[in-house]
Amino acid sequence: MQRFGSNEAQESIGKTIADWEKEAYADSKIDYQKDIQPWIGNVMMAFLPSESGSWDRDGQNLLVVLGIKNKLKAWNFAEKLQKEEGKEITKTKYKGVTIYLETSTDSDEQGATAILDNYNKVVFSENIETIKLAIDTYKGEKTSFVANPEAKKALNQKLGLKNPIFAFYLADYGELIGKALASASNQELSTETLEQLMAVESAVMGLGFEDKGLRLKYLVNLNQSALKREYKPEKGKIVSRFPESTIALMTGSKVNESWWSLVEQSEVVPQLDQLLNGWETMLGSINLDLNEDVFGWMDGEVGLGLVTVDEGIFKDYGMGGAAIFQTSDRQTATNTLKKLEELAAGNSFITIDRRSIKGKTIVEWIADNKVLLSYGWTDDRTLTVALGTPFKELMEVKGKNSLAGSKNFKDLAGSLPEKNFGYFYLDMKKLMAVLNNLPSAPSNYLPPESKAVLDSIRGIAATSTMGDRSTAELDLLLHLEPNN
């Protein structure tokens, strides 16, 4: 981590860690760097369900497994721990293994510890029964997590992280999430909902350092038989239609298919059905059909972005909006635009005008003698919409002056899978430069520590894709400033 961020950011993070250590060991003479760091190796934490298998906060048990890389220093720490005031440690034997039960004389806090694997590992939990389960599993009397087929599949997933910090494994995903949802709603889930949850078998997430910063990867193993549609990632081209001055961008494709999937899910999820009905009622009141007029024609790529501006109605804010839609159903999209124009025409504050730019007819919504919204067909399949952004700027995007051709985008998203379901992109430097020019700039209110951390982030880029029909992947890169 010392390779990234300004000196101020590193001091801020260091202070946060130091404050946490003071709080964690406030009632103790333990010093993490002197007493624990010299002997502690790898760390694993496991969340176990309650004995009944239910999912509730009171029933969750945390089991911590610590590797011991220096037995002598670990023994010295244990000796120091036993001499601490305000703590009482008793020993009990369970199947030949000594369990140390620590209780506080000042509170109800307690913890249980045991040493396994020839003094190479120590297990800890607040619940002594959890320690007994760990001992049973270590001795082969209980089935281990690794023996679970879905856990084995997750553990064998290759995240491809160069310098991993941690990995998180979730087996029996559908069953676990189903129990959590049922517990939260206090009612059993329908068979259809459970079937949808079972489409995900297991998941694994990891975080690691790379040359440019932090990378997060999330892999999901899918049950192929439960998938109703085949999803194919593609090499999107819509990024090349946004200007280099783009601050943030989110892209995708075939929004209509995602919408129909959502509608199908609403048939078995009452809360979602209620939400969609509310949307349909609201848009129906202005003569728009949610299925046909809004999402039905969006069968191509879609991009929604924020762009820096130095003119127009949003000049004082420094940024405007841009949206690009590609469709094979231009007529339906045109009909939707006509309905919106009829709606706007009834507003006395908006005037609708048409003009030609490079042979293309552009519709402009004008408010207070300034263009609020403009849109037009830049080719037979592409509808371009500008919100407070000069339309001409979007028409002149080509090659090197496009976002796809810019150094910033290549640095941020260049290492992500090219064939994907869409990008999320944020240029933090551009965003902070725009925000800091506002009268109520964040820098005027942010604590110096927070500002230093934000200034250390160059940007964020993420994609989702499928390596094959059985694996979905989310890939996110947090690009950090190098420490010079």
Side-chain angles (χ1 to χ4, degrees), residues 150 154 168-171 173 200-205 218-221:
E150 299 309 326
F168 174 75
Y169 303 93
L170 184 59
Y173 178 95
V200 178
E201 295 179 341
S202 61
V204 55
M205 179 174 67
Y218 184 63
L219 298 179
V220 174
N221 293 308

Side-chain angles (χ1 to χ4, degrees), residues 440-457:
S440 55
S443 57
N444 297 336
Y445 306 98
L446 285 175
E449 299 84 2
S450 300
K451 184 179 183 302
V453 172
L454 285 175
D455 288 342
S456 296
I457 301 173

Side-chain angles (χ1 to χ4, degrees), residues 458-471:
R458 290 191 59 184
I460 304 170
T463 62
S464 60
T465 188
M466 289 185 75
D468 53 49
R469 186 170 163 76
S470 63
T471 309

